[in-house]
Structure formats: structure tokens, C-alpha cells
Amino acid sequence: MKLKGFIFDLDGTLLNTLPVCYTGFRKVLLKFLGREYSDQEIAALFGPSEEGVFKKVLPDRWEEGLQSYLEEYDQAHAEFAKPFPGIEDALELLLQRGIKLAIVSGKGPGSMSISLRHSGLGRYFELVITGSEQGADKPKHIKEILQAWDVSPFEVAYIGDTAYDIIAAKNAGTFSVGAVWANTAQIQQVMDLKPSICFTNVDSFRQWIEQLT
């Protein structure tokens, strides 16, 4: 098997940003709605981009809510700015081998820009596709990357930490890679979907890249 491209999810795969998302949403929802949401309640809102979430929960003040969220997200991000240990080594190795790199994420463009700026990861990826307010459509976005690269789905891997990431990879026809090294990863749900391969730590992922390419 010869892979020509790797497409990554961001939250929980490249960066430990889910705690930042929870913090940002919790503060803004408390400010605008007057109660503190749990991580589980916030996670239940995920799917649409942040713009879509705020249009749903704050229909009359969504723009103000979104701006407040991005400010909170930016401030909270400093503590979680570094990629998971070993991720940059893995990305450098892929680039050295001539592998194309992209991101397909459900995040909105505002928070994606903040994450890439804080982490410095933007320099690795030639294409970045964010989510939409209607909801995540990762299979469609993965296919857009395949078309842009003019490669077969069988020549590309999609890497993510959630069940939806594995479903999206399979629906797009790509090699599906479970990345369950974050403490927020959906380990059992990912394993139940039988990805092409699954890694519980970044070191084993990097070693696999060395053997693969």
C-alpha cells in the first residue's frame, strides 16, 4: 500500500483543544443564558460549526455570542497551544517522504485560525477545510481534498479520534486511522467501527509511518 496523502482531524487528534472548546462555550453560555453547561451538554451541541451552534442557542444574539466565544477560545488556548507530543515529528516525517497533508475539521474558520496560529501547525498543511453552520459533512470535504489532489481514495488516509471520523473515512473510501491518544478520544466507539488501523499513542503512529513510507 502506497499512501500519497494524509488528512487529519484537528480537535483531539493534532491538538488537545477540546478542553479549550468546553471552556469557551461554558463561559459564553453562562454569560448569555445564565447557567453553567456541563461538558456533556456542550458536546451534544457539536456538529455544526460554532456559528451554527450560536445561531441555534442564541438566535437573536448569535454574532455577539460567536465573537465572545472566539475571544474566550483565544485566551484559553495558550495553555493548550502545543500539539500532542510527537505530532510535529510525525508531520515532518510525512513531509520528508513527499506525502501531501490536509485538515478536514468540523471547527469554524475563526477557531481553526486561532488553533493553527497558537500551535504553529498551519505551515504543515496545504489544504484546510472547516465545518459549516449546517453541520459537519466530512465525507464531502474529504472528497474535495481527493479531487484537489487528483488521487484515489485508496491512496489517502483520514485520521481522527471519534466514531464520526472513522465513519467519514469509510464513506469517502479512504484508509481509516483511529487516533485515540487524547483523554477525550472515543476509544470504544472508534474500535467498534473497526478502522483500518488504530493507535493509542503518537509514537506507534510515527513508527507506522516509518514502516509505511
Side-chain angles (χ1 to χ4, degrees), residues 99-164:
I99 306 296
K100 295 177 178 291
L101 300 179
I103 292 175
V104 165
S105 168
K107 298 178 78 64
S111 60
M112 175 63 74
S113 176
I114 291 168
S115 286
L116 293 180
R117 173 169 53 83
H118 274 286
S119 66
L121 289 181
R123 62 194 179 94
Y124 291 103
F125 299 96
E126 61 179 83
L127 294 171
V128 176
I129 299 182
T130 54
S132 74
E133 61 184 88
Q134 288 76 34
D137 192 348
K138 288 188 175 183
K140 175 186 175 184
H141 293 156
I142 292 170
K143 290 175 183 177
E144 289 176 5
I145 299 286
L146 299 176
Q147 185 174 15
W149 284 346
D150 191 25
V151 295
S152 161
F154 304 109
E155 297 174 307
V156 172
Y158 183 71
I159 301 96
D161 64 314
T162 68
Y164 178 56

Side-chain angles (χ1 to χ4, degrees), residues 200-212:
T200 58
N201 60 77
V202 180
D203 282 344
S204 58
F205 174 60
R206 181 183 52 77
Q207 290 168 13
W208 174 69
I209 294 169
E210 290 177 341
Q211 297 168 1
L212 188 67

Side-chain angles (χ1 to χ4, degrees), residues 87-99 101 124 205-211 213:
I87 281 292
E88 289 192 271
D89 290 340
L91 296 176
E92 289 282 4
L93 180 60
L94 287 166
L95 288 181
Q96 290 169 11
R97 305 296 173 88
I99 306 296
L101 300 179
Y124 291 103
F205 174 60
R206 181 183 52 77
Q207 290 168 13
W208 174 69
I209 294 169
E210 290 177 341
Q211 297 168 1
T213 58

